Each structure stands twice: as C-alpha cells, then as structure tokens.
C-alpha cells in the first residue's frame, strides 16, 4: 500500500489502483481528493472535515463514496442516495476490494467543559498490510496494526500520552500525523523522544513531511 501525507491529519492510501483518502480537512493539500474512490472521515472538527472541499469533490465525481459517523454524514445531506454511509465501532466494509474496519467511539477529552464528539478510527487494508488512522483518539484496535498513523500533537494530548499510545499499539511502523500545530523545532523534539522511546519495542517511527507532489512512503 502506498501512503502519502496530504497535510496535518489527511492521508491518501493507494492499493491496486484504489485510492482512499482519510480526513481531508482545512489544513489538507488542495489536491488530496484528486482521483479518490472513497473518503473516510473520523469526526467533525474542521482540521479533519472540510465540508466545502468534500462537497465539491463529491459533486464533481458522482462515483465518490464517503463513510463517516452520523454527525458528519448529517452535514453532507443532499449528495444523493447511497453516497454517504454512516459507520460506527465494529462495522466493516470494502472499498473496491480494499477492506476497512471501524474502531472507536469518542474523541479524546480536550476539557470537561467542552463537548466530547463522536470519533471513529479506520483500519484500512487486509492481512498484515494494514494502516490505522485513529482520528483524535487513542483507540487501540483489537487486532495487530502494521502501520499506525500517530497523532503527534493536539489540544487533547501530551507527548507522554502519545508515547504510551504507540507503545500499547506496538505497530511495526508509526508515521507522524496531526502535527500542524507544532513548529519545526517542536516536531524535531517530538521525533527525538518518540524514536528514543519506541526503539525497544521494535516500532520504526518516522516523520513523513506533508506531501509535496504526493511523495510515497
């Protein structure tokens, strides 16, 4: 599977000619949805879900399908029958033969005074070649993960929690996402700590810069 970062939390996955885009939001590359067969949205926050961008892509391509939680799906009303599918924890489906599992229910707590929205993670792929995007949560799938898309920074986490999460998942590879709020120096510091703390469990942590021409991993 070819994995391309498209800015912040957005990732483009390509397998056997099938293109799946996860979380095209307000910080995403403007071309992230070009040629996509399907879009998966973890939750409603604007850095993961840019409604105008997704609507425009869906209107331009009648074949584009979208899977998301009920809150996001409700905001995409009017796209036509069967275009948007509501999913939740435990659901499974396939995109042109590429398997997808849904894991998780809620966004991580930012603060007790702020509402905790629904958040679902997507495990994409079959067999040992799987990629897990948790959205804004520390969800641990019930089965092994090959590549974990690791949310590096957000108002709901601290670096120690990110390290503990990666250690619990124990993926073969962890790839940085959700780092749009960090400076270059901040990213460098987080990278150093993660590499240092994950090497003993055999997880290969790597930073993949936001796409410039969609460079593959």
């Amino acid at each position: 599977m070819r994995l391309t970062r498209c800015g912040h939390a957005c990732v483009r996955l390509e397998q056997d000619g099938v293109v799946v885009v996860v979380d095209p939001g307000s910080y995403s590359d403007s071309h992230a949805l070009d040629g996509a067969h399907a879009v998966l949205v973890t939750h409603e926050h604007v850095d993961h879900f840019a409604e105008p961008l997704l609507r425009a892509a869906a209107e331009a391509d009648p074949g584009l399908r979208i899977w998301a939680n009920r809150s996001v799906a409700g905001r995409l009303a009017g796209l036509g029958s069967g275009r948007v599918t509501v999913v939740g924890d435990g659901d499974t489906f396939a995109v042109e033969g590429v398997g997808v599992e849904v894991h998780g229910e809620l966004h991580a707590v930012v603060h007790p005074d702020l509402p905790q929205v629904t958040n679902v993670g997507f495990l994409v792929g079959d067999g040992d070649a799987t990629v897990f995007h948790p959205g804004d949560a520390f969800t641990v799938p019930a089965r092994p993960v090959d590549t974990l898309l690791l949310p590096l920074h957000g108002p709901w986490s601290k670096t120690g929690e990110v390290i503990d999460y990666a250690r619990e998942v124990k993926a073969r590879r962890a790839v940085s996402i959700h780092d749009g709020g960090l400076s270059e120096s901040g990213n460098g510091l987080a990278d150093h700590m993660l590499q240092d703390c994950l090497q003993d469990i055999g997880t290969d942590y790597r930073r993949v810069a936001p796409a410039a021409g969609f460079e593959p991993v």
Side-chain angles (χ1 to χ4, degrees):
M1 184 181 295
R2 174 177 172 175
L3 184 158
T4 306
R5 285 209 52 201
C6 300
H8 192 56
C10 182
V11 174
R12 183 179 170 101
L13 304 172
E14 302 177 53
Q15 180 174 307
D16 300 327
V18 179
V19 179
V20 178
V21 177
V22 188
D23 281 3
S26 56
Y27 301 160
S28 302
D29 188 295
S30 60
H31 297 290
L33 293 170
D34 289 356
H37 294 88
V39 179
L40 315 179
V41 182
T42 63
H43 67 288
E44 63 202 68
H45 290 161
V46 296
D47 54 332
H48 296 255
F49 170 51
E51 182 181 344
L53 176 69
L54 194 45
R55 276 190 175 277
E59 289 165 1
D61 179 5
L64 183 66
R65 294 284 308 280
I66 301 163
W67 282 264
N69 64 36
R70 190 169 303 280
S71 178
V72 171
R75 291 173 56 180
L76 293 171
L79 288 182
S81 176
R83 299 291 304 280
V84 183
T85 302
V86 175
V87 292
D89 183 49
D91 287 340
T92 62
F93 57 94
V95 178
E96 303 289 334
V98 177
V100 183
E101 298 177 6
V102 185
H103 297 268
E105 298 178 341
L106 292 171
H107 191 290
V109 175
V110 177
H111 188 274
D113 291 347
L114 296 174
Q116 191 177 13
V117 302
T118 301
N119 178 97
V120 293
F122 295 100
L123 185 72
V124 183
D126 300 290
D128 295 332
T130 57
V131 176
F132 183 59
H133 192 311
D136 282 2
F138 290 137
T139 302
V140 180
R143 70 181 188 89
V145 173
D146 182 59
T147 299
L148 171 65
L149 302 178
L150 184 61
L152 208 60
H153 170 266
W156 47 273
S157 70
K158 60 184 181 181
T159 302
E161 294 171 330
V162 174
I163 292 170
D164 287 344
Y165 175 56
R167 291 178 68 90
E168 186 173 3
V169 175
K170 292 185 177 67
R172 183 174 66 87
R173 176 188 297 123
V175 174
S176 62
I177 62 167
H178 211 285
D179 51 7
L182 289 177
S183 66
E184 184 177 349
S185 297
N187 272 308
L189 178 60
D191 290 343
H192 174 75
M193 289 188 285
L194 281 158
Q195 288 165 352
D196 191 48
C197 291
L198 298 182
Q199 60 182 349
D200 66 319
I201 63 167
T203 296
D204 174 22
Y205 169 80
R206 61 181 67 184
R207 163 159 303 285
V208 179
F214 298 126
E215 292 298 325
V217 174

